[in-house]
Amino acid sequence: IVSMKKIIGLFFAVLFSAGLYAQEGVIKFLGIPVDGTKQEMIQKLKSKGFTYDQREDDLQGEFNGEEVLIQVQTQNNKVWRLVICDKNLRSKGQIRLRFNELVGQFENNGKYTPFMESQTIDENEDIDYEITVKDKQYRAVFIPNTTRGAVYFTIHSNKTKYFIAMYYENINNAADGSDL
């Protein structure tokens, strides 16, 4: 069995090498480059119909047919990641369907290359047991073909209900240890 450290190391190695061969552009979310300042990103997302909640410091709206919350994360005052979370919680059967549908959407989109060959969740897998007892993390990773970055999504639990968190990352703006 491959250890989690090896998988994470391999993920970042592929992410780095894919970035070296990609064009200079950065990953986009709804056509908006994941770049610039947090305030600029918030304004661009607002122009796409999202509503900013200053108290929660997130945006709300619809993405891919789902009600979502979006957090804009920065590194050295530059946007490096958008976190898009489903607003509605789901059962284990519903979250498996949602996860597998997202995998299918990305696999069928010629703009992305899957990080691993099979990223869907088998119908017989007990998601509750795997997450709560074995501390398993479900993750699907896709690398854009023409830009630097990554898109991945994970299942998160809220006791017996689940939601998807999707990440659009601009690796150009990620922490690189230079500020240590």
Side-chain angles (χ1 to χ4, degrees):
I1 297 176
V2 178
S3 74
M4 185 55 91
K5 286 182 181 180
K6 287 182 181 178
I7 291 172
I8 291 170
L10 179 62
F11 167 71
F12 284 110
V14 168
L15 191 61
F16 177 74
S17 63
L20 289 176
Y21 294 104
Q23 296 176 5
E24 289 301 312
V26 297
I27 193 161
K28 293 180 181 178
F29 174 74
L30 294 174
I32 303 168
V34 178
D35 204 4
T37 67
K38 183 174 184 174
Q39 194 56 40
E40 290 169 343
M41 180 58 70
I42 289 170
Q43 289 305 316
K44 290 175 184 176
L45 289 168
K46 286 171 68 175
S47 75
K48 293 283 187 176
F50 291 91
T51 306
Y52 181 67
D53 183 335
Q54 190 170 5
R55 186 173 54 87
E56 296 294 327
D57 192 27
D58 64 15
L59 296 111
Q60 300 179 30
E62 187 176 321
F63 172 63
N64 197 24
E66 296 288 329
E67 289 296 314
V68 296
L69 301 171
I70 300 177
Q71 293 179 332
V72 179
Q73 296 184 343
T74 61
Q75 177 66 31
N76 291 325
N77 298 317
K78 288 186 174 184
V79 175
W80 78 279
R81 177 165 71 179
L82 295 181
V83 182
I84 301 99
C85 296
D86 289 349
K87 194 171 179 179
N88 299 315
L89 300 176
R90 291 177 161 80
S91 69
K92 67 180 179 181
Q94 294 167 329
I95 203 66
R96 177 191 344 269
L97 287 173
R98 169 98 169 106
F99 187 89
N100 289 344
E101 285 173 0
L102 281 171
V103 168
Q105 287 176 355
F106 276 93
E107 286 178 342
N108 294 322
N109 185 329
K111 297 177 184 177
Y112 298 94
T113 300
F115 177 67
M116 294 171 37
E117 200 167 300
S118 176
Q119 300 186 88
T120 57
I121 302 170
D122 186 79
E123 190 174 309
N124 297 321
E125 188 150 345
D126 185 344
I127 294 172
D128 285 330
Y129 177 79
E130 294 295 329
I131 290 176
T132 58
V133 175
K134 291 188 168 183
D135 202 27
K136 182 173 182 174
Q137 293 183 354
Y138 291 95
R139 176 176 293 143
V141 181
F142 295 88
I143 308 299
N145 296 331
T146 60
T147 60
R148 292 184 55 129
V151 176
Y152 61 95
F153 46 93
T154 61
I155 295 176
H156 293 273
S157 70
N158 183 357
K159 298 189 180 181
T160 60
K161 295 289 185 174
Y162 302 92
F163 66 95
I164 297 283
M166 187 176 292
Y167 305 84
Y168 279 71
E169 289 190 358
N170 174 352
I171 61 172
N172 295 322
N173 294 343
D176 61 6
S178 62
D179 56 350
L180 295 178

